[in-house]
Amino acid sequence: MPLRLVPRTRPSRLAQYGAPVLALVFTVAFGFVLFLSIGRDPWAALHAYFVAPISSAFGLSELLLTALPLALIGLGLAIGFRANVWNIGAEGQLLLGAIGGGAVALALWGEGVPGTFVLVCLTGALAGMAWAAIPAFLKTRFNANEILTSLMLIYVADHLLSWLVHGALRNPQGFGFPESRLFSPEALMPILWPGTRLHIGWLLLPVAAVAIWFMSRHTLAGYRLRVSGLSPNAAAYAGFSQPQSVWISFLLTGALAGLVGAMEVAGPVGQLLPEISPGYGFAAIIVAFLGRLSPLGVVLAAHLLALILIGGENVQLLGVPIAVAQLFQGVLLVAVLASDVLVRYRIVRIGQLETDEAAA
Amino acid sequence: MSPQPAGSVRLGISGVSKQYPGCLANDNVSFEAGAGEIVALLGENGAGKSTLVKIAYGLVAPDAGRIEIDGHPAALTSPAAARAAGIGVVFQHFSLFDSLTVLENISLGLDTPAARANLADRIREIGTRYGLSVEPDSIVADLSVGERQRVEIVRVLLQDPSILIFDEPTSVLTPQAIEGLFGTLRQLRDEGRAIVFISHKLDEIMSLCDRVTVLRGGRVVGSVPIGETNTKALAQMMIGHEVPDVAQRRDLAGGPVRLAARGLTMSSQNPHAPGLQNVTLEARGGEILGIAGVAGNGQEDLLAALSGERLAATETAIELEGAPVGRLGPGARRKAGMAFVPGERLGRGAVPPMSLSDNGFLTAHWRLPLVRRGVLSARAGAEFADRVIERFQVATRSRATAAQALSGGNLQRFIVGREVLSEPSVLIVAYPTWGVDVAAVAAIHEALIGLRDAGAAIVLMSEDLDELLALSDRIAVLYSGRMSAPLPIADCGKERLGLLMSGATDAEAAGGASHAA
């Protein structure tokens, strides 16, 4: 029974929503075999992945806390990617946000200024924007490839953070460890959900998602970004300048990534460390595409990715090697992206094709 | 080529069907071309001509039907198989490498190394025999469009095909070059080859062909000897109903100069285009200024310079309503009264996956109140799109339909409508009816004339001389980046324009035309 892929004339609604579900079912079946083959109880492993993280209040709060940075950065990236602006350096912008926010928190350390955390967040966002402005300037002024410049600036940011926590921002009473002081309480993000680490920064997520959806769908600036992405020639014809798209995309993502960086150090981390992000800026690229570059999709994708990140840590407690945990995560992502084929194509048996055409 | 008695069928296509997703491109098509005849394949864009050619050349496999060559069934599974079976195709778009010589280009296209022996001599020989003289050692980039077409024809003739298919061969040629091509085609016919001439230009078919087969909507609607038909009957077969007449020109005194270019000089971004040299033009309110010329003589640069997509060197190189705008971008020029219909519909004039509603915003928001404080007004945008769809009779299910789902003619109606309803005082129009169905052509021409009569200045660039002659009040010719002085329409003979299009000076063209007359 030969099968053939035939392009759909229009994307199918059913496939659009059904494809991710199918991908999940496939991944679970694959995981079942995978965990069985390494001699672990597949039920326990799958439980650890998909049920344990959300079966307790604390687990749920951790899921939301992990999804927050992924979603915020993913929202910004999705806007840029739609406009064909490829900011790969959100991780660096996040680090600069952490440095900027952290520097404010440390400068006001022990001063007891109420609401310091607001200043920390604002400074973080500005620092992230400033870092993002560098590739934007190089792109618009010299037409330098923004993929390379933004990516390279991650390493610069990483070393800058490392240099600072080894030097200027190191805790004077820290026995020479490369760490800053623990921030004072007024510089820390107030806790939203008592008894967990979920802080009020989470409230920004729905605000940002709605604001970005509105910007993209209903404002002239968002319209221009969409046109530039879909058809650069049409954008040039209509008189939309490419530099404007580049600047808006970079500054928006830079601000969100910087904000995330500041909220990480003023939230769950509580100080400046040489390593403050487990690669949120990179994972957010996956989140943006997984969410099909739409705000709602990005928010959902961020929570899915957070779930498997936390699940991956859980199964390691069951004795599953980290490599297998990562393999499973990889399979889930590949399955979700591959299921996209069903949205754009339909599967037809060769014999059936002819009868379809006869009917048409 | 195997000799066949005159009139015997060389290419016989019977019952061919081809389904594309959402489109039945060929529906049970049967077509014959006999030895020693030129058969026209006539149809509008989208009628299925290109698909039929691709099937005959082995580029597309039909879903059903059979093809016979000289009476024997042929399996045309690839272009090489089609060439081996004696079929040669000269495509509308040339596939030549600009930076290589004629000889190198032809050599690259040959199927067997053996065929390369004495190639230069054979190219010259074919050139002499058929009036297709090309120098094998010249670089393709230096050739005119007509010469490039000769290279393509020579390349095909080297294989001595018994069946020759020409896909819209005249669309890029000057009137003189068209006459030369027709001479070659008649000679090839008289040698007993079967010639298929694909076109939608009725006059050419009437003067050249022996028989015409008309396609509409993927089906053959008729096949008649040329002697038993006329252009009006053919047009009716092609579009399925009577052809509407274009409104007559009315004489207007010159209005104020609305758009002017003064000494516009610009190098081209395309290394093989001539750029612009000291181009001067004035378009007055109430007139259509036609710009004729063979493609590749600076048209793209002139359009970009007028629309603002490329900025001029000085403010004063371009004036809009008397104000210098040479350094202003497209948005600012639109605000000052300009509108622009680009040559490329999908991907420039419209964003393919966006709805008509969204495509209405694209340029109209510069001139109409469709945006308030940075927020798009969905209602105003929808009303505007509906107005365009209604006034210009765009056949579409609704304003929510994506631009890419529209036929070429309907999308062009929408784009022209959008620009005209933005109420510009200057409209620049490039190739407005290229590949557009006849009914849409009439609607578009009517819109341009209406806008002109309302006092706007229109600059019309077209490769179609008939269109320019029908609409323009004055015509200037662009050749190698230079613009001739515009001629009043009364002085515009096809002959004279044709000479200007091939590089003659104004005086030479005037003399040559009167001499020829």
Side-chain angles (χ1 to χ4, degrees):
Chain A
M1 185 182 65
L3 297 174
R4 200 162 75 169
L5 284 175
V6 178
R8 295 180 190 273
T9 41
R10 62 194 60 193
S12 143
R13 283 263 150 178
L14 177 69
Q16 227 158 4
Y17 297 103
V21 176
L22 197 67
L24 204 62
V25 171
F26 170 78
T27 311
V28 168
F30 176 84
F32 198 90
V33 177
L34 177 70
F35 295 125
L36 205 60
S37 71
I38 59 164
R40 307 287 161 196
D41 177 4
W43 293 113
L46 290 173
H47 184 271
Y49 252 106
F50 293 106
V51 185
I54 48 172
S55 58
S56 69
F58 183 75
L60 195 61
S61 75
E62 285 294 301
L63 176 72
L64 297 179
L65 191 66
T66 309
L68 174 65
L70 295 174
L72 281 179
I73 301 175
L75 285 169
L77 288 178
I79 288 283
F81 292 166
R82 285 213 160 199
N84 276 344
V85 177
W86 303 103
N87 177 2
I88 305 299
E91 182 78 2
Q93 292 139 32
L94 181 156
L95 293 178
L96 256 288
I99 292 172
V104 170
L106 294 170
L108 296 176
W109 185 81
E111 301 282 341
V113 183
T116 302
F117 73 95
V118 176
L119 204 56
V120 169
C121 288
L122 284 176
T123 317
L126 286 174
M129 273 169 101
W131 203 246
I134 300 172
F137 172 77
L138 295 175
K139 172 76 177 178
T140 51
R141 181 72 182 76
F142 302 109
N143 199 24
N145 187 321
E146 75 275 20
I147 298 178
L148 292 177
T149 52
S150 64
L151 182 67
M152 291 305 158
L153 281 167
I154 296 175
Y155 304 104
V156 180
D158 199 29
H159 287 291
L160 185 64
L161 173 65
S162 182
W163 177 65
L164 287 170
V165 292
H166 280 88
L169 300 180
R170 187 172 57 190
N171 183 356
Q173 283 115 40
F175 311 103
F177 279 103
E179 298 175 357
S180 77
R181 290 179 195 275
L182 290 172
F183 297 170
S184 337
E186 67 277 4
L188 294 176
M189 303 297 290
I191 295 300
L192 179 68
W193 186 346
T196 72
R197 303 198 293 164
L198 190 67
H199 54 77
I200 61 165
W202 185 82
L203 297 175
L204 289 174
L205 179 54
V207 176
V210 171
I212 283 182
W213 167 80
F214 184 83
M215 202 271 284
S216 172
R217 276 284 133 196
H218 293 286
T219 69
L220 185 57
Y223 176 80
R224 290 177 167 197
L225 288 170
R226 280 188 292 142
V227 171
S228 328
L230 291 170
S231 176
N233 284 338
Y237 157 68
F240 303 160
S241 78
Q242 194 222 12
Q244 194 192 22
S245 306
V246 173
W247 279 107
I248 292 180
S249 306
F250 265 99
L251 293 185
L252 182 70
T253 310
L256 286 167
L259 176 66
V260 163
M263 292 199 305
E264 278 299 297
V265 292
V269 181
Q271 66 184 134
L272 280 180
L273 299 174
E275 301 283 337
I276 49 151
S277 157
Y280 287 134
F282 293 111
I285 298 172
I286 301 172
V287 165
F289 281 107
L290 211 52
R292 297 175 199 286
L293 305 183
S294 87
L296 178 64
V298 165
V299 171
L300 292 177
H303 287 83
L304 176 66
L305 203 66
L307 184 70
I308 58 177
L309 286 175
I310 294 174
E313 289 168 17
N314 285 353
V315 290
Q316 287 173 52
L317 301 177
L318 295 176
V320 173
I322 184 164
V324 174
Q326 286 173 345
L327 176 69
F328 182 68
Q329 289 167 10
V331 167
L332 175 59
L333 292 177
V334 169
V336 170
L337 293 174
S339 69
D340 242 21
V341 169
L342 295 177
V343 179
R344 283 178 294 119
Y345 295 87
R346 60 202 177 99
I347 300 175
V348 182
R349 258 182 290 138
I350 296 292
Q352 197 187 337
L353 189 67
E354 257 99 69
T355 50
D356 275 13
E357 272 160 22
Chain B
M1 180 181 68
S2 62
Q4 289 280 323
S8 70
V9 175
R10 280 204 180 273
L11 174 65
I13 294 176
S14 49
V16 160
S17 293
K18 177 68 194 175
Q19 170 85 46
Y20 286 119
C23 161
L24 187 57
N26 277 174
D27 182 4
N28 195 17
V29 169
S30 296
F31 176 82
E32 281 179 0
E37 72 170 344
I38 302 182
V39 187
L41 189 56
L42 171 69
E44 299 191 79
N45 271 58
K49 294 171 296 182
S50 303
T51 304
L52 195 59
V53 173
K54 285 180 188 160
I55 289 172
Y57 198 49
L59 284 165
V60 167
D63 298 329
R66 49 194 266 128
I67 297 174
E68 290 182 359
I69 290 170
D70 291 337
H72 306 292
L76 305 176
T77 50
S78 70
R83 285 194 294 268
I87 296 179
V89 180
V90 176
F91 284 100
Q92 184 180 7
H93 300 286
F94 307 149
S95 43
L96 297 172
F97 295 99
D98 278 354
S99 52
L100 299 183
T101 65
V102 170
L103 181 66
E104 287 163 337
N105 265 291
I106 291 179
S107 176
L108 278 171
L110 295 175
D111 287 326
T112 55
R116 299 207 172 94
N118 305 322
L119 192 55
D121 290 340
R122 282 159 57 217
I123 291 171
R124 286 199 190 90
E125 185 204 314
I126 287 181
T128 334
R129 181 152 29 124
Y130 296 105
L132 296 168
S133 66
V134 280
E135 182 47 50
D137 293 326
S138 38
I139 305 277
V140 166
D142 299 334
L143 302 181
S144 72
V145 181
E147 288 171 313
R148 289 179 203 207
Q149 186 179 54
R150 281 185 222 155
V151 177
E152 290 277 3
I153 298 174
V154 167
R155 166 147 85 181
V156 171
L157 287 180
L158 275 169
Q159 295 149 10
D160 192 22
S162 57
I163 299 156
L164 269 158
I165 303 176
F166 290 82
D167 188 7
E168 306 254 355
T170 60
S171 59
V172 292
L173 300 181
T174 63
Q176 285 83 358
I178 289 173
E179 264 319 306
L181 172 70
F182 283 5
T184 304
L185 293 185
R186 292 192 181 102
Q187 194 182 345
L188 290 166
R189 169 191 65 191
D190 296 342
E191 291 176 348
R193 298 177 210 267
I195 312 283
V196 181
F197 180 81
I198 297 169
S199 180
H200 58 260
K201 294 186 182 166
L202 302 170
D203 295 339
E204 292 177 357
I205 289 174
M206 292 303 295
S207 73
L208 175 72
C209 302
D210 303 305
R211 206 155 52 77
V212 53
T213 297
V214 185
L215 279 182
R216 189 171 76 228
R219 293 167 198 242
V220 174
V221 290
S223 185
V224 287
I226 274 305
E228 296 171 18
T229 187
N230 56 48
T231 52
K232 204 169 162 75
L234 284 179
Q236 201 164 340
M237 278 170 86
M238 177 165 75
I239 65 170
H241 52 83
E242 289 249 358
V243 191
D245 280 330
V246 174
Q248 285 304 302
R249 190 193 329 278
R250 102 187 140 80
D251 287 320
L252 285 161
V257 174
R258 294 199 183 276
L259 176 71
R262 306 199 191 283
L264 183 63
T265 298
M266 197 177 258
S267 64
S268 182
Q269 286 171 326
N270 174 352
H272 297 304
L276 297 176
Q277 271 124 44
N278 202 17
V279 167
T280 293
L281 68 83
E282 279 188 353
R284 295 178 176 273
E287 78 163 349
I288 296 179
L289 173 66
I291 297 181
V294 176
N297 276 292
Q299 282 89 343
E300 294 312 310
D301 292 303
L302 181 59
L303 289 172
L306 291 179
S307 74
E309 283 168 68
R310 289 191 64 202
L311 300 181
T314 61
E315 277 287 348
T316 51
I318 295 174
E319 287 177 10
L320 186 58
E321 303 288 355
V325 297
R327 302 289 299 161
L328 297 182
R333 291 192 199 180
R334 282 179 178 275
K335 276 192 205 163
M338 190 185 271
F340 178 38
V341 177
E344 209 184 322
R345 283 187 280 278
L346 215 49
R348 182 172 285 272
V351 185
M354 278 190 169
S355 68
L356 293 182
S357 235
D358 277 355
N359 269 302
F361 279 113
L362 190 66
T363 55
H365 80 272
W366 291 110
R367 301 196 44 76
L368 302 175
L370 304 180
V371 178
R372 280 186 210 101
R373 291 203 196 104
V375 178
L376 305 177
S377 163
R379 203 166 49 93
E383 280 171 10
F384 178 70
D386 282 345
R387 204 146 60 86
V388 174
I389 291 169
E390 195 198 312
R391 283 273 295 280
F392 286 82
Q393 296 173 357
V394 180
T396 172
R397 204 174 296 165
S398 76
R399 60 174 183 260
T401 304
Q404 63 197 7
L406 263 60
S407 72
N410 274 309
L411 184 58
Q412 188 70 344
R413 282 173 186 252
F414 183 83
I415 292 171
V416 170
R418 178 185 69 199
E419 301 301 308
V420 167
L421 293 187
S422 317
E423 295 161 11
S425 59
V426 171
L427 178 67
I428 297 158
V429 193
Y431 320 113
T433 55
W434 187 86
V436 160
D437 58 278
V438 178
V441 169
I444 289 164
H445 285 177
E446 213 165 290
L448 296 182
I449 288 171
L451 188 68
R452 176 198 69 184
D453 292 350
I458 298 179
V459 176
L460 170 67
M461 185 175 283
S462 178
E463 283 176 354
D464 184 346
L465 268 188
D466 295 327
E467 171 168 66
L468 286 172
L469 290 168
L471 293 179
S472 309
D473 299 287
R474 292 186 299 154
I475 297 180
V477 176
L478 196 58
Y479 174 78
S480 191
R482 296 171 194 278
M483 184 94 101
S484 73
L487 299 170
I489 191 69
D491 300 342
C492 291
K494 266 197 181 184
E495 188 85 8
R496 187 164 175 188
L497 290 176
L499 288 169
L500 287 171
M501 284 161 71
S502 38
T505 61
D506 291 351
E508 282 166 10
S514 61
H515 180 74

